[in-house]
Amino acid sequence: MNKNPIGIFDSGVGGITIYEEIHKLLPHENIIYLADSKNAPYGNKSEEKIIEFSVKNTDFLLEKGCKIIVVACNTASTNAVKYLRKKYDIPFIRVQPAIKPAALSSKTKNVGILATKRTLKSDLLFETSQKFAQGVSVIEKVGEGLVSLIESDKIQSSEMNDLLNKYLQPMLEKDIDHLVLGCTHYPFLTTQIKKIVGDKVTIVDSGEAIARQTKNILNKENLLNKNNTIPYQYFYSNKDPDVLQRILNHYDGDMKAYKIEF
Ligand code: DGL
């Protein structure tokens, strides 16, 4: 089982930001990545639909022999992981918006969070804010349209800049000093976001924390791959693999995106 791959899925290409951190921390682990881009965005679908997609994605990764599954999507994590953990006898790692570290280090006591509608509406987000952001005002904005633009290869576009300005300016007016990226697609927008929010706002995402947690759980379950060999890594998309490929081209290594019917 130790040599079996880590399975990672997202509604699309966003989970690559999580893959990157996992691969950095666990360079010998085999990895299978699944982008369910055909069904993106998940963010404004019903909880039932998000669970249905997450089950399909999990079944695909289990067929490939995955030993653990990282749900590299905040929307699926906040809406479907409870269900997945009950249904399957395999460890699941979920991502969670990094409200806790942002709230703890905020000096202005105002933090912003940009995420999908479903993530912002979830019980998990409510509970996290209640528990870790007491005395801090959390300014929420739905990043409507951002995932679709990223999935259509329009990261650098005037539409993207207009949307980001629209969502971030009201947060700046409320004097935020931390901005939580509550969607795994959004770290691809860090350069544009920085231009809008400037140096005084710290941008926080959960990539590194998720990678550390994946390592801890693999270690605890005795599932770490002890072989120091070059791992295999497969990246699948059920829509346009060129979009995934262009994202992969930003990283070192010869990573190839494959199209699957799914
Ligand atoms: N990457 C997903 C997330 O973290 C995007 C959700 C969507 O498809 O709307 O929430």
Side-chain angles (χ1 to χ4, degrees), residues 10-11 14 40-43 72-75 116 119 147 182-185:
D10 178 40
S11 62
Y42 282 9
C73 171
N74 288 267
T75 312
T116 68
T119 296
V147 167
C183 169
T184 55
H185 280 70

Side-chain angles (χ1 to χ4, degrees), residues 145-151 153-167 185-186 188-189 192 196:
L146 300 179
V147 167
S148 299
L149 284 177
I150 294 169
E151 290 291 325
D153 224 357
K154 289 187 179 154
I155 292 182
Q156 311 278 353
S157 63
S158 55
E159 291 124 286
M160 184 65 88
N161 271 328
D162 291 350
L163 283 183
L164 287 172
N165 264 302
K166 181 169 143 198
Y167 302 144
H185 280 70
Y186 299 167
F188 293 134
L189 307 175
Q192 288 102 307
I196 297 171

Side-chain angles (χ1 to χ4, degrees), residues 67-85:
K67 59 185 175 185
I68 187 168
I69 291 181
V70 180
V71 182
C73 171
N74 288 267
T75 312
S77 290
T78 46
N79 287 272
V81 164
K82 233 186 204 170
Y83 181 91
L84 297 175
R85 284 188 174 144

